[in-house]
Amino acid sequence: MVPQDLIAEGIDRKIALTEEVNHSHLRSMKDVTGYSIQTTDGEIGHVEDFVLDDETWTIRYMIIDTRNWLPGKKILVAPPWIATVDWKNSNVYVNLSRATIKSGPDFSPDKLDREYETRLYHHYGQENYWWC
């Protein structure tokens, strides 16, 4: 191969890898932190952090900061309530309205227990998805 062929091969490999990453649903939590949260009727905040199950290493919740809407608060969103993720535009779409999220129970890390989770699922009308 001549150098020009090696350059073209490298470019083709980089393009293929970029396309593969763009089609992949695998992202680091660090990459998704900061993504905008889009409800069924508009934007409400951004991904601030995640709650993980330390035994199974699964994502239990995304912590959403609604400070984009004064007064802001932190709420939890479970993976089943996510409709889709727009990787290209850094948006997470949830199957909840802004009013539903704004009226939901405030999240505090020291109060994450079964009672809180029960209230959370009940508030969002997701009793059928109780998988915690």
Side-chain angles (χ1 to χ4, degrees):
M1 290 188 146
V2 294
Q4 194 67 13
D5 292 337
L6 291 174
I7 291 171
E9 183 180 309
I11 291 170
D12 290 343
R13 188 177 311 127
K14 190 171 185 176
I15 290 170
L17 181 59
T18 300
E19 288 175 356
E20 182 180 329
V21 167
N22 286 339
H23 287 90
S24 171
H25 294 283
L26 183 61
R27 297 287 191 278
S28 76
M29 289 183 295
K30 182 180 176 183
D31 290 343
V32 179
T33 300
Y35 275 30
S36 295
I37 300 299
Q38 303 291 329
T39 65
T40 56
D41 56 349
E43 183 179 349
I44 192 159
H46 63 275
V47 177
E48 179 166 290
D49 208 347
F50 295 86
V51 175
L52 300 176
D53 183 318
D54 59 359
E55 290 181 18
T56 63
W57 290 95
T58 57
I59 296 174
R60 293 284 302 273
Y61 300 103
M62 282 191 317
I63 301 173
I64 307 304
D65 186 342
T66 65
R67 72 175 169 221
N68 301 22
W69 289 78
L70 297 175
K73 64 180 183 177
K74 292 180 179 29
I75 58 102
L76 296 183
V77 171
W81 309 337
I82 298 170
T84 190
V85 179
D86 180 351
W87 306 113
K88 184 176 180 183
N89 295 308
S90 303
N91 290 313
V92 176
Y93 292 87
V94 296
N95 290 321
L96 303 166
S97 70
R98 283 190 295 205
T100 301
I101 289 177
K102 288 190 329 189
S103 64
D106 290 341
F107 169 67
S108 174
D110 58 332
K111 296 187 180 178
L112 181 56
D113 56 17
R114 285 291 184 194
E115 180 183 331
Y116 174 84
E117 288 182 295
T118 301
R119 282 186 304 137
L120 183 71
Y121 275 73
H122 179 73
H123 175 77
Y124 293 135
Q126 302 292 324
E127 294 88 353
N128 295 335
Y129 291 104
W130 184 258
W131 54 278
C132 301

